[in-house]
Structure formats: C-alpha cells, structure tokens
Amino acid sequence: MNIPPEWNGLVSEQELLSRHSTFRIGGPARFFSQPKTLTELETLLRCAKREGIPFVLIGNGSNVLFSDQPFEGLVVSLAGYEPDLFEVNGNEVRVSAGMNLPRLALLLAQHSLGGLEFTGTIPGTVGGALAMNAGYGRTDGKPNQVGDFIKWVKVLPGEGNAEELGRAAIRFDYRSSSLAGKIILEACFELTKKPREDILRQIRESQDYRAVSQDLQHPSAGSVFKNPAGSELSAGKMIDLAGLRGFQIGRARISDKHANFIVNLGGSTAVEVLSLVSIARETVKRKFGVELELEIKYVSNETPAYAG
Ligand SMILES: Cc1cc2nc3c(=O)[nH]c(=O)nc-3n(C[C@H](O)[C@H](O)[C@H](O)COP(=O)(O)OP(=O)(O)OC[C@H]3O[C@@H](n4cnc5c(N)ncnc54)[C@H](O)[C@@H]3O)c2cc1C
C-alpha cells in the first residue's frame, strides 16, 4: 500500500498510536494525520475511499484503547482541527470539534458562560465528548452531560456535504449518541450567564475531587466500563466488591483508587488491559449476574472501518 500522492505532507507513516492515546498503548498506524481544515480532512477521506484504505477517527484518544498490532489503515485525529474556532454570540458558543475540553471550560469562564464547567477536567475534545455524550458529576440531582447543552452540531455524513443537525435530530444517551459514526466538525452550545469566579471555583473543586478519587498519576482512559442501567452499584463498586481492586496483569492494573480505572504502570500492552477487562467482566457476572459493557472503544484491524 503506497501513500496516495495527495497525502504528501499531510500524513505520517508508521506513527506510534501510543503517542495519541492517554493510555499510552498502541502499535504503529500505517498512516496517521491531524488535519487542520475541512479541505485537508476531505482530501484524507476521498483518497482513503478511493484506495480502499480503512480509517478510524479519534479526537484526543482519551477514551480509546489501541491494539498492540500495527494498524493497517489511516488514523485521523481531529485534536488539532480548526484550532481557532471559538465564537460567542450572546449565550451561544460555536466551537470546533477539535477544541480541548479543559481549554473550552476556561474560555467559557472568561465569558461568564456556565453549564459546561464539568468538562473542565475531562481530557478529550468537543467531538469525542459529543460522540460519547461525556459527563461528570450532577447538578440539582441530574447527571451533567454535554448533550444537554447542544443547539446544533455540524457533521460530515458518510456521503455528501457537511450538514447541521439541530438538537431534536440527535439522540443523546448515557455515554453514547446518534452522532457516533458521523464525523463531528463543530458544535453550538447554549449556555447560561454565570459569575466567572463560580465557574472557576467549580472547575477547581472537580480537580481537587478527582485528585483524591482517581489515579491521575498513571496513564489510563478513564472509566473502562459503563455503569450498569438499573443497578444500585456502579461498575467500579462491583469490581471492588468482587475483590479485584489492585489486581494486576503484567504492567496493567485495576486502580487501587478507583476500580473502574485500569492504569498503565509503564510499558503495559493492550493484551494485558484486555485480559483485565475479561477477568473483571467474568467475575462481576458470576458475583452479581451483571454484564459489564465497555465504555472505552477498542481499535484494531478487526474493528469496523470506522470506530464510531
Ligand atoms: C483521566 C480520565 C478521566 C476521564 N473522565 C471522564 C469523565 O468524567 N466523563 C466522561 O464522560 N469521560 C471521561 N473520560 C473519557 C474521555 O475523556 C471522554 O470520553 C472524552 O469525551 C473523549 O474525547 P476524545 O476526544 O479523547 O475522544 P477519543 O477517545 O479520541 O474517541 C472516543 C470516541 O469518539 C469518537 N470521536 C472522536 N472524535 C470524534 C469526532 N470529531 N466525530 C465523531 N466521532 C468522534 C471516536 O471515533 C471514538 O469512538 C476520562 C478519561 C481519562 C483519561
């Protein structure tokens, strides 16, 4: 498989995916690119389609586990996409899918716009957060989720030109959305006026709480499993009660601080992480009769052409 001529200067070859995942795990990708504009992105997609090259889309790789094996296709990261797109119009904010969430939360604080301060400690991009309907904590007893603040989202469908989807055309569920499988380019959030100091204090409180409750010293992809619907117990609590807190295979370990985190102690592999995933699933199934569902996305040659 040769590099299509249009990709010269746009694509790197044999890029280690461990450099693009917060887990710091992953073999090389045959092709890798971080497009900055829609034209660059369209060039990548057009040639991949023409040449039959499978492709996978990521943001900051903070919810992804890459296989240890070489990926025989193109990985596109939108983490650097349209980096300057941030427009405020009253209570509405238009942002690039590539915008880093902690940066977004700080920019919104500068404009005294509240609602999304819970994203200030989530290490992903706006695109990844919308595909996953990322969330953290509760306000007035209701879980905070990015989908609740959406006015519209601009996407590139599998075929055709970019289009804007209004809020009513999108389904947001717990850690998933109907946007997964499309390419999210930008989004417009509807927020509310809030004192800057209150927003900054809330971000600081989340940082402090995470520092005591989660292992942020070691690479990870955050929570590995979704919390099971209808269960009193969280996935982490079940793994903990099943006696697996601190259980280790090779250099991968079920976190001592938060049993729904698997951490890379340095030099861990995807095989080790997946072994811990299987053991956690089997043990929780045996003890609680509950099937844990993965929250993280596993990316390998066997995953479909698009990791949505
Ligand atoms: C320490 C730590 C703490 C975390 N805490 C939280 C938390 O509190 N709450 C939470 O919800 N998550 C949390 N996460 C997980 C992760 O940060 C979020 O899911 C985040 O929103 C993923 O964004 P990303 O850009 O890194 O997406 P990636 O991990 O790169 O991708 C995730 C999925 O989104 C898709 N995707 C990415 N970009 C786009 C796009 N532009 N268009 C369409 N699809 C796209 C990918 O194909 C993939 O399927 C945490 C992770 C870590 C490491």
Side-chain angles (χ1 to χ4, degrees):
M1 200 176 1
N2 290 325
I3 185 162
E6 298 96 316
W7 284 4
N8 280 328
L10 192 56
V11 163
S12 55
E13 296 184 70
Q14 306 302 343
E15 175 84 10
L16 273 181
L17 293 174
S18 54
R19 298 182 55 217
H20 301 281
S21 152
T22 55
F23 242 138
R24 297 284 170 259
I25 290 173
R30 178 72 183 84
F31 302 114
F32 178 86
S33 184
Q34 274 191 323
K36 287 195 167 49
T37 62
L38 183 57
T39 308
E40 289 181 356
L41 176 61
E42 285 177 334
T43 302
L44 291 165
L45 301 180
R46 192 176 56 248
C47 298
K49 193 168 177 194
R50 188 186 66 210
E51 308 288 329
I53 298 172
F55 94 96
V56 162
L57 181 76
I58 61 165
N60 197 38
S62 64
N63 208 46
V64 162
L65 174 65
F66 290 117
S67 163
D68 304 312
Q69 299 308 311
F71 180 71
E72 300 299 338
L74 168 70
V75 175
V76 175
S77 161
L78 289 195
Y81 182 75
E82 293 290 355
D84 301 323
L85 176 53
F86 176 82
E87 276 175 23
V88 177
N89 186 3
N91 286 359
E92 294 179 9
V93 179
R94 182 175 156 232
V95 283
S96 160
M99 169 77 75
N100 172 272
L101 294 171
R103 176 163 174 247
L104 174 64
L106 291 178
L107 286 171
L108 293 175
Q110 280 174 18
H111 290 266
S112 300
L113 287 171
L116 283 176
E117 41 277 33
F118 68 91
T119 63
T121 52
I122 301 180
T125 60
V126 164
L130 287 170
M132 298 298 304
N133 194 17
Y136 182 64
R138 295 178 161 263
T139 303
D140 300 332
K142 205 171 140 275
N144 299 314
Q145 311 184 111
V146 287
D148 291 340
F149 298 88
I150 275 299
K151 179 156 192 208
W152 52 257
V153 177
K154 189 167 171 187
V155 296
L156 201 55
E159 298 281 335
N161 296 327
E163 63 184 22
E164 244 174 59
L165 299 177
R167 173 67 187 86
I170 308 167
R171 209 191 60 247
F172 288 106
D173 294 315
Y174 167 60
R175 295 302 170 268
S176 73
S177 79
S178 58
L179 296 167
K182 298 183 167 52
I183 298 176
I184 301 162
L185 301 173
E186 52 186 85
C188 179
F189 292 103
E190 267 184 312
L191 302 161
T192 44
K193 284 282 174 208
K194 187 166 173 176
R196 182 171 175 264
E197 266 319 307
D198 289 1
I199 299 176
L200 292 174
R201 183 177 31 78
Q202 212 168 317
I203 296 173
R204 274 195 306 273
E205 282 172 6
S206 289
Q207 284 167 339
D208 293 346
Y209 184 68
R210 280 199 195 252
V212 291
S213 59
Q214 298 179 351
D215 182 342
L216 304 178
Q217 277 71 47
H218 294 105
S220 77
S223 291
V224 172
F225 299 104
K226 294 183 184 183
N227 287 321
S231 167
E232 293 278 287
L233 297 174
S234 65
K237 191 70 192 165
M238 288 185 195
I239 296 167
D240 186 15
L241 291 172
L244 290 172
R245 184 184 283 259
F247 188 75
Q248 189 172 329
I249 294 180
R251 302 291 293 155
R253 183 176 174 95
I254 294 181
S255 167
D256 297 275
K257 263 189 172 175
H258 189 310
N260 200 10
F261 273 40
I262 293 179
V263 291
N264 174 1
L265 300 176
S268 176
T269 62
V271 167
E272 291 169 355
V273 172
L274 291 175
S275 303
L276 286 179
V277 163
S278 298
I279 288 170
R281 268 188 163 152
E282 282 160 22
T283 316
V284 164
K285 173 87 178 139
R286 227 178 17 253
K287 195 166 163 72
F288 299 99
V290 169
E291 303 263 6
L292 289 180
E293 192 188 331
L294 270 188
E295 179 173 324
I296 59 172
K297 306 283 182 186
Y298 179 56
V299 178
S300 71
N301 288 314
E302 286 70 45
T303 46
Y306 180 73

